[in-house]
PDB file of all heavy atoms in Angstrom:
ATOM      1  N   VAL D 188     -51.040  75.213 104.797  1.00  0.00           N
ATOM      2  CA  VAL D 188     -50.199  76.400 104.671  1.00  0.00           C
ATOM      3  C   VAL D 188     -50.094  77.068 106.039  1.00  0.00           C
ATOM      4  O   VAL D 188     -51.058  77.630 106.542  1.00  0.00           O
ATOM      5  CB  VAL D 188     -50.782  77.369 103.629  1.00  0.00           C
ATOM      6  CG1 VAL D 188     -49.906  78.607 103.526  1.00  0.00           C
ATOM      7  CG2 VAL D 188     -50.916  76.676 102.290  1.00  0.00           C
ATOM      8  N   LYS D 189     -48.927  77.028 106.631  1.00  0.00           N
ATOM      9  CA  LYS D 189     -48.721  77.606 107.954  1.00  0.00           C
ATOM     10  C   LYS D 189     -48.293  79.059 107.872  1.00  0.00           C
ATOM     11  O   LYS D 189     -48.671  79.871 108.710  1.00  0.00           O
ATOM     12  CB  LYS D 189     -47.671  76.791 108.714  1.00  0.00           C
ATOM     13  CG  LYS D 189     -47.423  77.280 110.134  1.00  0.00           C
ATOM     14  CD  LYS D 189     -46.351  76.453 110.834  1.00  0.00           C
ATOM     15  CE  LYS D 189     -46.877  75.121 111.283  1.00  0.00           C
ATOM     16  NZ  LYS D 189     -45.876  74.398 112.142  1.00  0.00           N
ATOM     17  N   TYR D 190     -47.506  79.407 106.855  1.00  0.00           N
ATOM     18  CA  TYR D 190     -46.996  80.772 106.733  1.00  0.00           C
ATOM     19  C   TYR D 190     -46.768  81.087 105.263  1.00  0.00           C
ATOM     20  O   TYR D 190     -46.231  80.262 104.516  1.00  0.00           O
ATOM     21  CB  TYR D 190     -45.679  80.918 107.500  1.00  0.00           C
ATOM     22  CG  TYR D 190     -45.035  82.284 107.405  1.00  0.00           C
ATOM     23  CD1 TYR D 190     -45.528  83.351 108.139  1.00  0.00           C
ATOM     24  CD2 TYR D 190     -43.925  82.500 106.593  1.00  0.00           C
ATOM     25  CE1 TYR D 190     -44.934  84.607 108.067  1.00  0.00           C
ATOM     26  CE2 TYR D 190     -43.324  83.749 106.515  1.00  0.00           C
ATOM     27  CZ  TYR D 190     -43.827  84.797 107.248  1.00  0.00           C
ATOM     28  OH  TYR D 190     -43.247  86.043 107.178  1.00  0.00           O
ATOM     29  N   ALA D 191     -47.201  82.273 104.844  1.00  0.00           N
ATOM     30  CA  ALA D 191     -46.971  82.724 103.471  1.00  0.00           C
ATOM     31  C   ALA D 191     -46.759  84.228 103.493  1.00  0.00           C
ATOM     32  O   ALA D 191     -47.599  84.974 103.994  1.00  0.00           O
ATOM     33  CB  ALA D 191     -48.165  82.379 102.577  1.00  0.00           C
ATOM     34  N   SER D 192     -45.628  84.671 102.967  1.00  0.00           N
ATOM     35  CA  SER D 192     -45.311  86.098 102.977  1.00  0.00           C
ATOM     36  C   SER D 192     -44.504  86.461 101.749  1.00  0.00           C
ATOM     37  O   SER D 192     -43.731  85.656 101.220  1.00  0.00           O
ATOM     38  CB  SER D 192     -44.499  86.458 104.229  1.00  0.00           C
ATOM     39  OG  SER D 192     -44.119  87.823 104.218  1.00  0.00           O
ATOM     40  N   LEU D 193     -44.677  87.693 101.305  1.00  0.00           N
ATOM     41  CA  LEU D 193     -43.799  88.266 100.305  1.00  0.00           C
ATOM     42  C   LEU D 193     -42.555  88.820 100.973  1.00  0.00           C
ATOM     43  O   LEU D 193     -42.513  89.037 102.180  1.00  0.00           O
ATOM     44  CB  LEU D 193     -44.505  89.398  99.560  1.00  0.00           C
ATOM     45  CG  LEU D 193     -45.782  89.042  98.806  1.00  0.00           C
ATOM     46  CD1 LEU D 193     -46.459  90.303  98.312  1.00  0.00           C
ATOM     47  CD2 LEU D 193     -45.479  88.092  97.664  1.00  0.00           C
ATOM     48  N   VAL D 194     -41.529  89.081 100.164  1.00  0.00           N
ATOM     49  CA  VAL D 194     -40.376  89.894 100.556  1.00  0.00           C
ATOM     50  C   VAL D 194     -40.134  90.839  99.384  1.00  0.00           C
ATOM     51  O   VAL D 194     -39.656  90.434  98.331  1.00  0.00           O
ATOM     52  CB  VAL D 194     -39.123  89.050 100.830  1.00  0.00           C
ATOM     53  CG1 VAL D 194     -37.950  89.952 101.184  1.00  0.00           C
ATOM     54  CG2 VAL D 194     -39.384  88.055 101.953  1.00  0.00           C
ATOM     55  N   SER D 195     -40.549  92.097  99.554  1.00  0.00           N
ATOM     56  CA  SER D 195     -40.524  93.008  98.414  1.00  0.00           C
ATOM     57  C   SER D 195     -40.191  94.415  98.876  1.00  0.00           C
ATOM     58  O   SER D 195     -40.271  94.742 100.062  1.00  0.00           O
ATOM     59  CB  SER D 195     -41.869  93.003  97.688  1.00  0.00           C
ATOM     60  OG  SER D 195     -42.902  93.460  98.538  1.00  0.00           O
ATOM     61  N   GLY D 196     -39.828  95.238  97.909  1.00  0.00           N
ATOM     62  CA  GLY D 196     -39.531  96.639  98.185  1.00  0.00           C
ATOM     63  C   GLY D 196     -40.378  97.539  97.313  1.00  0.00           C
ATOM     64  O   GLY D 196     -41.581  97.316  97.164  1.00  0.00           O
ATOM     65  N   ILE D 197     -39.741  98.523  96.702  1.00  0.00           N
ATOM     66  CA  ILE D 197     -40.458  99.508  95.882  1.00  0.00           C
ATOM     67  C   ILE D 197     -39.764  99.636  94.531  1.00  0.00           C
ATOM     68  O   ILE D 197     -38.574  99.948  94.450  1.00  0.00           O
ATOM     69  CB  ILE D 197     -40.487 100.884  96.569  1.00  0.00           C
ATOM     70  CG1 ILE D 197     -41.171 100.786  97.938  1.00  0.00           C
ATOM     71  CG2 ILE D 197     -41.199 101.920  95.696  1.00  0.00           C
ATOM     72  CD1 ILE D 197     -41.065 102.051  98.758  1.00  0.00           C
ATOM     73  N   GLY D 198     -40.515  99.356  93.471  1.00  0.00           N
ATOM     74  CA  GLY D 198     -40.077  99.725  92.137  1.00  0.00           C
ATOM     75  C   GLY D 198     -38.998  98.881  91.508  1.00  0.00           C
ATOM     76  O   GLY D 198     -38.270  99.370  90.644  1.00  0.00           O
ATOM     77  N   GLY D 199     -38.901  97.602  91.874  1.00  0.00           N
ATOM     78  CA  GLY D 199     -37.860  96.794  91.256  1.00  0.00           C
ATOM     79  C   GLY D 199     -38.141  95.310  91.367  1.00  0.00           C
ATOM     80  O   GLY D 199     -39.288  94.880  91.422  1.00  0.00           O
ATOM     81  N   LEU D 200     -37.069  94.532  91.431  1.00  0.00           N
ATOM     82  CA  LEU D 200     -37.167  93.079  91.446  1.00  0.00           C
ATOM     83  C   LEU D 200     -36.469  92.530  92.684  1.00  0.00           C
ATOM     84  O   LEU D 200     -35.373  92.956  93.038  1.00  0.00           O
ATOM     85  CB  LEU D 200     -36.518  92.486  90.195  1.00  0.00           C
ATOM     86  CG  LEU D 200     -37.003  93.023  88.841  1.00  0.00           C
ATOM     87  CD1 LEU D 200     -36.206  92.394  87.714  1.00  0.00           C
ATOM     88  CD2 LEU D 200     -38.489  92.757  88.657  1.00  0.00           C
TER      89      LEU D 200
END
Side-chain angles (χ1 to χ4, degrees):
V188 179
K189 182 181 283 188
Y190 178 77
S192 177
L193 300 171
V194 178
S195 62
I197 301 172
L200 306 177

